[in-house]
Amino acid sequence: ETGVTQTPRHLVMGMTNKKSLKCEQHLGHNAMYWYKQSAKKPLELMFVYNFKEQTENNSVPSRFSPECPNSSHLFLHLHTLQPEDSALYLCASSQETANYGYTFGSGTRLTVV
Amino acid sequence: DAKTTQPPSMDCAEGRAANLPCNHSTISGNEYVYWYRQIHSQGPQYIIHGLKNNETNEMASLIITEDRKSSTLILPHATLRDTAVYYCIVRVNNAGNMLTFGGGTRLMVKP
């Protein structure tokens, strides 16, 4: 365990479903991130939250909707996804004053059918 | 952030040192060199970082050339569990400065 917990680990959903991915950290970090990793592609940054405020939305389609209710929790709400959205979704956190970078969760493997 | 260039893949024999190179010829003076690795289907894991001096921790050593245009990550005694994709990233150590991943080097440690 890294200190960043993601649930569920695996998710299969239909294109008309609505689901949410959850990320939780109790490392005292004040920034949280969503990344997407499609097969054979580098990790792509999706969203950034600093002190619960969204500071980056990397041209992500509106069918992905992030929510950060407090500095320990981050959600990614999913609706009307496409099969090409199937990927590993990774959450990370960091402390802006620390030098040792990001701590990643183990990811949610999402399959859209 | 400056871009990095890494070989797409490397092999290493178990028990030998794995030396992973990274070129970052356009690195700026305030950019750090970070190394992460990603074992299959897991999240990336922080390994080490440095600015100008060589660094060592329990996982690896980082050697940065004097002109800072390249660096080498050294795993002194590679094991099968070190098989992973290794990412070299340069970034300014500021809040709000995101971690951007390239293709990395796929290291295969063989028995």
Side-chain angles (χ1 to χ4, degrees):
Chain A
E1 283 299 327
T2 64
V4 176
T5 303
Q6 289 188 245
T7 53
R9 291 296 306 272
H10 300 272
L11 177 63
V12 178
M13 61 185 287
M15 289 190 282
T16 57
N17 290 159
K18 288 185 181 181
K19 296 283 185 185
S20 296
L21 309 185
K22 180 181 176 182
C23 177
E24 186 173 352
Q25 61 92 6
H26 295 288
L27 300 170
H29 290 171
N30 52 28
M32 297 185 78
Y33 314 83
W34 281 115
Y35 282 83
K36 175 185 177 182
Q37 188 171 34
S38 304
K40 300 190 178 175
K41 283 180 148 184
L43 281 86
E44 301 169 59
L45 179 66
M46 298 175 75
F47 300 106
V48 179
Y49 278 83
N50 274 305
F51 293 101
K52 302 186 296 175
E53 298 294 322
Q54 188 182 129
T55 57
E56 187 83 13
N57 175 338
N58 218 14
S59 303
V60 180
S62 59
R63 57 186 184 269
F64 295 91
S65 173
E67 178 191 359
C68 189
N70 54 62
S71 56
S72 299
H73 294 85
L74 184 65
F75 295 89
L76 187 62
H77 303 300
L78 317 170
H79 64 98
T80 58
L81 294 193
Q82 304 297 313
E84 59 264 28
D85 296 321
S86 299
L88 180 67
Y89 288 85
L90 289 156
C91 173
S93 69
S94 70
Q95 177 66 25
E96 64 173 40
T97 56
N99 283 340
Y100 28 84
Y102 294 14
T103 302
F104 283 82
S106 298
T108 295
R109 173 72 59 188
L110 174 69
T111 303
V112 182
V113 296
Chain B
D1 290 342
K3 290 188 176 176
T4 62
T5 304
Q6 297 178 255
S9 63
M10 288 181 66
D11 289 345
C12 177
E14 188 179 18
R16 305 297 294 267
N19 298 300
L20 294 102
C22 180
N23 285 324
H24 31 79
S25 57
T26 59
I27 193 169
S28 334
N30 59 348
E31 287 183 309
Y32 285 73
V33 180
Y34 278 80
W35 283 84
Y36 283 75
R37 73 179 184 185
Q38 187 176 22
I39 294 169
H40 181 62
S41 290
Q42 296 182 25
Q45 174 192 25
Y46 165 82
I47 301 173
I48 199 166
H49 76 284
L51 184 63
K52 327 190 249 196
N53 298 325
N54 297 337
E55 302 287 344
T56 294
N57 62 21
E58 64 278 3
M59 288 182 72
S61 294
L62 174 60
I63 309 297
I64 302 174
T65 56
E66 196 167 334
D67 63 7
R68 302 211 322 125
K69 293 186 177 183
S70 66
S71 60
T72 302
L73 179 75
I74 301 173
L75 308 178
H77 306 286
T79 70
L80 299 179
R81 286 178 296 180
D82 292 321
T83 293
V85 179
Y86 287 77
Y87 298 99
C88 169
I89 301 165
V90 292
R91 69 186 279 262
V92 178
N93 231 2
N94 274 343
N97 212 351
M98 276 63 74
L99 208 58
T100 303
F101 290 81
T105 295
R106 184 172 297 278
L107 175 69
M108 179 74 73
V109 180
K110 299 186 171 178

